[in-house]
Amino acid sequence: MTEPNADMIEYWNGDGGKRWTAQPDRIDRAAARINEALFAFAAPHAGEHVLDLGCGCGSTTIELARRTGVAAVGVDVSAPMLEIARARGGATYVAGDASVHAFAAEFELVFSRFGVMFFADPVAAFANIRRALAPGGRLAFACWRAMEHNAWAGVPLAAARPLLPPQSAPEPHAPGPFALADGERLRGILERAGWHDVTLTAHASTMWLGESLDEALDDCFEIGPLARLAAQLPEDTRARIRERLAPALAPFVTAGGVAVPAAVWLVGAK
């Protein structure tokens, strides 16, 4: 039987996992402002048992454990990321696909920072995730809003597009970073999966792409839609893309680094 999320599992154990594990601390810093908003929204408190979906290299799981005083559990499909997470320690990690994993109903909070947009069947996945909650438990996660609100992703992609291979129009709801961008669709998915008291809060923030413009240009080839599309391009083409990216990102250089607008949904449910 084919694994329902086989393509995404292959990606996060291949090129995607390699890019994210190459510099996990820098990637964590990129989303630091969004982290602050998500943790305030989720409000994990002392004594809570927390499940971190799509935990990646474990930084959010470690922070959940620190805030609750309880060993949080992180789950992810990416073996390379989990290797780093386990080396960091501070929590428990499980290799598994949250859409089908046999969770015990033991968590007061199910949490995720950008780990729930990759399910082939999101209704079935969120129904399965609901089984991880103890009675009265809650869900809190962040996912990206539409790309037009996320300059950190859209600006590099637009600048590079003339040098990228022709692309067919993407299926708007296919598994990927922006799969849950449509708020009404997201609400419907959760309600059909058995969740109630669903709330979606639009939150505007920034992604930090580096101390300098040069670092930001590097990051564009490590995270975001452009990184995936440019991964297999010849080095001379990547160099030409880099030249086009510099003026596109220059307006976002600040005294504290390159900070580019980002927009997320902060999503809660019971």
Side-chain angles (χ1 to χ4, degrees):
M1 182 176 177
T2 302
E3 162 66 48
N5 298 304
D7 289 346
M8 288 291 99
I9 292 171
E10 179 180 3
Y11 176 73
W12 289 113
N13 282 283
D15 289 342
K18 288 177 183 176
R19 285 199 299 274
W20 279 71
T21 55
Q23 46 185 350
D25 293 336
R26 194 156 150 192
I27 289 175
D28 288 339
R29 184 170 178 183
R33 288 195 63 193
I34 295 170
N35 276 5
E36 293 173 7
L38 176 57
F39 275 96
F41 177 79
H45 55 262
E48 281 195 314
H49 294 80
V50 185
L51 175 65
D52 186 7
L53 301 175
C55 65
C57 295
S59 63
T60 50
T61 322
I62 293 166
E63 179 63 12
L64 289 163
R66 187 190 71 79
R67 293 189 182 215
T68 62
V70 178
V73 176
V75 60
D76 205 290
V77 299
S78 175
M81 291 189 192
L82 288 176
E83 183 176 354
I84 290 179
R86 290 177 175 131
R88 284 173 161 178
T92 300
Y93 300 99
V94 175
D97 177 353
S99 72
V100 295
H101 188 78
F103 293 112
E106 58 186 352
F107 299 99
E108 284 83 30
L109 170 63
V110 171
F111 173 102
S112 184
R113 183 197 68 185
F114 305 133
V116 294
M117 301 93 69
F118 305 97
F119 301 129
D121 185 342
V123 173
F126 279 107
N128 187 63
I129 290 164
R130 189 165 52 84
R131 300 186 180 103
L133 283 176
R138 68 195 191 282
L139 173 70
F141 67 85
C143 64
W144 297 113
R145 294 174 62 206
M147 191 184 294
E148 57 260 35
H149 303 302
N150 281 283
W152 72 271
V155 166
L157 189 61
R161 196 174 298 281
L163 297 176
L164 295 174
Q167 303 289 321
S168 57
E171 158 52 45
H173 302 145
F178 299 98
L180 301 180
D182 183 328
E184 287 308 305
R185 176 175 177 269
L186 173 54
R187 183 185 300 277
I189 287 169
L190 292 172
E191 290 176 346
R192 291 198 302 278
W195 298 87
H196 63 88
D197 293 354
V198 176
T199 63
L200 282 78
T201 301
H203 177 73
S205 185
T206 57
M207 281 281 279
W208 184 89
L209 296 186
E211 295 280 2
S212 66
L213 184 57
D214 277 345
E215 284 191 5
L217 299 178
D218 291 341
D219 274 5
C220 289
F221 291 98
E222 300 297 331
I223 59 174
L226 176 59
R228 188 170 186 178
L229 294 174
Q232 304 303 320
L233 293 179
E235 282 306 314
D236 63 329
T237 303
R238 288 166 62 90
R240 291 167 60 204
I241 289 174
R242 187 182 177 96
E243 291 175 358
R244 293 182 63 91
L245 293 180
L249 290 179
F252 305 107
V253 176
T254 73
V258 183
V260 189
V264 302
W265 291 116
L266 299 175
V267 183
K270 297 180 181 178

